[in-house]
Amino acid sequence: MTDSWANEASGEEPAGERAGSGNRQPTAVTVGADLHLELRGPGLRTGLMDALREAVRNGRLTPGTRLPSSRTLAADLGIARNTVADAYAELVAEGWLAARQGSGTRVARRAAPRTRAPSGPQALPVSRRPAHNLRAGSPDLGSFPRGEWLAAARRALTAAPHEAFDYGDQRGRVELRTALADYLARTRGVYADPERVVLCSGFVHGLTLMAQVLAARRGSAGARGGARARARAVARAVAVESYGLDFHRSVLTGAGLRTPALAIDEFGTRTEELTAGRGGLRGIDAVLVTPAHQFPTGAALHPDRRAAVVDWARGAGGLILEDDYDGEFRYDRQPVGALQGLDPERVVYMGTASKSLAPGLRLAWMVLPKVLVGEVIEAKGEVAAVPSAMDQLTLAEFISSGAYGRHVRSMRLRYRRRRDQLVEALAEHAPESRVTGIAAGLHAVVELPPGTGERPMIDAAARQGLALQGLSGFRHPSVPPGRDALVVGYGAPTDSAWAGALAALCRVLP
């Protein structure tokens, strides 16, 4: 589209201030705080005014935004300062802009243009955000240690070598790998040589890498072994717990792996079923388990079953993927060490800061068997998907200074108080409901009285402004329906909101 750049009739544009200013294409420029303008119209002042009006209309210039000075904008555009000053003055008079002595020219605080709401069958219902989040797996984001984190970030930035700002090691910064190796060995009983630690952007990223590694191993085994080996390779699978997160299963099935289910009871996952190898549990390459605190049932894996799954891995050449998602939050029992400590060459330990600090940090780690380190790095590809180097260095400093341990202990006490208050309140207001899975973690399982049903309770909770989940939503597709129960997370509400959330829950339960 062609527009004329003719001089304005007022003659305020000095001759020659823009070479060849007649009959030009619109010029795109960046002004002020990276504001992109296209000047269109019969003259520069008119074009500038139209461009500024349009930027306000479409929201690129929001109310209160400070505009560049007339001198700066004129220099950026290559036009006379008077042209900009006159355009500003006219837009002030029209109410688009506001000018105050000492504060420059800003976008006026005008009401945003009203948009017509959709009507008819295309209209979508307006969803209300729940007043209280009682979903499982969410920590109290209001308790993030901002001051301590900022102090650690400053120390880390001051001490960071220049090469820390390069792409770096695909395993992640050595400072964080070293700090994690020491911390995990001391608190979780993990054998964690820094050379075996690989950092990733969240647990799902780590699980995706392991799925790729397992799928690649399956394919290479088939290529080496001919038709019979390829036929066996098709049956390869990763066993999962009968209750868990569906998107974890999706990661595995997306890599072409079957995900048969292992049953769960009050002693945790029935890992002895792996040795029996019945039905769909034949041809298992690996098993994904949450031994410290099964999600979502809350059971801890019995010592006999911990030994059984390690024996299976040794005998079958299998691999154990250990999800230690909230092993640090324990209340009524002695610490349960990580399964990885029983056989570091058969267990992939997977941990994250999403529960102890915040999921938005996207900081997670894997402690790998030595033979897998190269394969996982290869799966990452040429450009390693790792968290920000500065976040890694900050967490390393946060752990090494002791601030991480202090924060975890403080949150353990806070979550335990909430857990106790939940149990006491339900005993008083919903005595027919049974609370289980409360020895650790950030949630409890509330078994409902017979005939109550999960869906009516979830719908009633929504009317009370509560976001709740039913236990059936975590059930493996191959597992028949079981008990009706709610999975109640007590981690997400802030301290000030917790009492209200608990009271609303008690009003819902029968």
Side-chain angles (χ1 to χ4, degrees), residues 56-68:
V56 174
R57 283 194 194 98
N58 63 27
R60 290 195 297 122
L61 283 177
T62 57
T65 300
R66 183 169 181 171
L67 299 181

Side-chain angles (χ1 to χ4, degrees), residues 58-399:
N58 63 27
R60 290 195 297 122
L61 283 177
T62 57
T65 300
R66 183 169 181 171
L67 299 181
S69 68
S70 59
R71 183 187 301 276
T72 300
L73 184 53
D76 288 344
L77 292 173
I79 62 179
R81 182 183 178 186
N82 287 343
T83 302
V84 178
D86 289 347
Y88 278 3
E90 189 162 340
L91 291 175
V92 168
E94 293 177 5
W96 293 92
L97 304 180
R100 292 180 59 188
Q101 185 68 29
S103 64
T105 304
R106 299 176 183 270
V107 177
R109 298 193 176 278
R110 307 168 62 250
R114 294 184 179 180
T115 57
R116 178 176 295 180
S119 59
Q122 293 81 18
L124 297 176
V126 178
S127 60
R128 291 192 306 166
R129 184 177 182 180
H132 303 291
N133 178 16
L134 295 183
R135 296 186 182 93
S138 299
D140 180 0
L141 302 180
S143 296
F144 183 82
R146 300 181 187 222
E148 294 85 348
W149 184 264
L150 179 59
R154 286 171 174 162
R155 294 193 299 269
L157 181 59
T158 300
H162 298 318
E163 53 89 14
F165 303 101
D166 204 346
Y167 289 107
D169 194 321
Q170 288 178 304
R171 290 170 297 181
R173 291 295 308 174
V174 66
E175 295 90 342
L176 180 53
R177 291 189 284 113
T178 302
L180 282 169
D182 176 71
Y183 177 81
L184 294 173
R186 178 164 40 86
T187 64
R188 304 294 299 129
V190 172
Y191 176 77
D193 186 302
E195 298 302 306
R196 298 179 176 219
V197 178
V198 173
L199 303 174
C200 36
S201 300
F203 175 84
V204 171
H205 178 214
L207 184 61
T208 301
L209 293 173
M210 288 310 309
Q212 292 173 3
V213 167
L214 289 168
R217 284 187 155 202
R218 180 195 65 186
S220 62
R224 289 194 301 269
R228 290 185 62 187
R230 283 194 293 273
R232 289 197 304 270
V234 173
R236 297 299 187 180
V238 177
V240 298
E241 296 164 324
S242 57
Y243 284 81
L245 293 169
D246 57 356
F247 57 86
H248 289 177
R249 295 193 297 268
S250 296
V251 167
L252 298 170
T253 57
L257 302 165
R258 291 189 301 111
T259 57
L262 291 169
I264 295 172
D265 58 24
E266 66 271 24
F267 300 111
T269 306
R270 298 188 60 175
T271 55
E272 67 274 13
E273 293 182 354
L274 290 167
T275 304
R278 293 187 293 269
L281 293 174
R282 294 191 182 97
I284 300 297
D285 288 306
V287 56
L288 173 63
V289 291
T290 51
H293 185 235
Q294 202 283 324
F295 186 88
T297 66
L301 191 60
H302 190 276
D304 290 346
R305 293 180 178 179
R306 290 165 64 91
V309 70
V310 172
D311 288 344
W312 164 81
R314 290 169 177 166
L319 197 63
I320 302 168
L321 308 180
E322 178 180 12
D323 180 3
D324 195 34
Y325 73 101
D326 66 356
E328 295 161 313
F329 296 119
R330 60 187 184 277
Y331 311 122
D332 300 327
R333 67 183 187 207
Q334 293 297 316
V336 177
L339 196 62
Q340 191 261 10
L342 298 179
D343 194 335
E345 299 304 326
R346 288 294 171 189
V347 181
V348 175
Y349 177 89
M350 308 176 76
T352 173
S354 65
K355 305 297 183 290
S356 57
L357 286 170
L361 291 176
R362 310 302 302 156
L363 286 165
W365 45 86
M366 295 187 291
V367 183
L368 300 167
K370 188 175 182 179
V371 69
L372 285 180
V373 175
E375 294 179 55
V376 169
I377 292 176
E378 183 179 355
K380 276 193 166 188
E382 288 295 324
V383 180
V386 295
S388 155
M390 277 312 306
D391 286 341
Q392 293 182 55
L393 292 171
T394 300
L395 181 57
E397 171 62 25
F398 198 67
I399 293 173

Side-chain angles (χ1 to χ4, degrees), residues 397-416:
E397 171 62 25
F398 198 67
I399 293 173
S400 300
S401 68
Y404 183 80
R406 290 191 298 272
H407 175 72
V408 167
R409 290 191 295 273
S410 172
M411 296 307 299
R412 187 184 299 149
L413 293 173
R414 180 172 299 183
Y415 291 141
R416 177 170 184 163

